[in-house]
Amino acid sequence: YMAFKVGSARRQYGVKYPAMYAEGDTPEANAFNCVQRGHQNSLENLPTFYALLLVASIKFPLTAGFAGMVYCIGKVMYFSGYSTGDPNKRLRGSISYIGLFTLVGCVLRIAYSLISPLFIA
């Protein structure tokens, strides 16, 4: 979804490959850069999300699945807000952190259950 939106924005604003971002301070450059940055940020966070989802789903599959769904919905909201051209609208996607921190909590619980027997003698 996001990659298609970036491709569409490239055509709409005339940003040619291999340029990652549009140059200049024009409203068109800003609009394209917001679309590109929203996609790039989502890609930058995927490895962390995937690792947490993988580990959390071992012991808490339903919780991890729900948290993953909340995270994904939040990232779509983030991208949709950011791609309007107003970076402040990206904050609509803050809901993704609920999913992310739920996964972190699951992973910490798993880690605690693995390490705690080492300290109880």
Side-chain angles (χ1 to χ4, degrees):
Y1 167 74
M2 293 180 197
F4 290 117
K5 289 288 193 178
V6 172
S8 175
R10 274 190 185 280
R11 285 186 295 281
Q12 180 179 352
Y13 299 114
V15 179
K16 306 285 184 220
Y17 285 107
M20 187 84 136
Y21 295 100
E23 302 210 8
D25 290 331
T26 65
E28 292 80 14
N30 181 58
F32 173 77
N33 290 341
C34 283
V35 174
Q36 172 65 17
R37 188 66 202 129
H39 181 234
Q40 188 67 33
N41 180 268
S42 295
L43 290 175
E44 290 165 357
N45 288 294
L46 270 180
T48 301
F49 167 67
Y50 284 155
L52 289 170
L53 184 65
L54 177 70
V55 175
S57 66
I58 293 170
K59 191 165 183 178
F60 306 104
L62 292 177
T63 303
F66 182 75
M69 180 184 68
V70 170
Y71 178 84
C72 290
I73 290 169
K75 278 302 178 181
V76 169
M77 291 170 64
Y78 172 90
F79 178 77
S80 296
Y82 210 157
S83 64
T84 63
D86 180 3
N88 291 326
K89 291 184 180 175
R90 74 186 188 275
L91 299 177
R92 296 174 182 166
S94 297
I95 187 176
S96 66
Y97 287 107
I98 295 170
L100 187 69
F101 290 134
T102 299
L103 292 172
V104 169
C106 289
V107 170
L108 288 175
R109 229 175 126 190
I110 292 169
Y112 178 77
S113 71
L114 291 172
I115 336 178
S116 61
L118 298 175
F119 299 106
I120 300 171

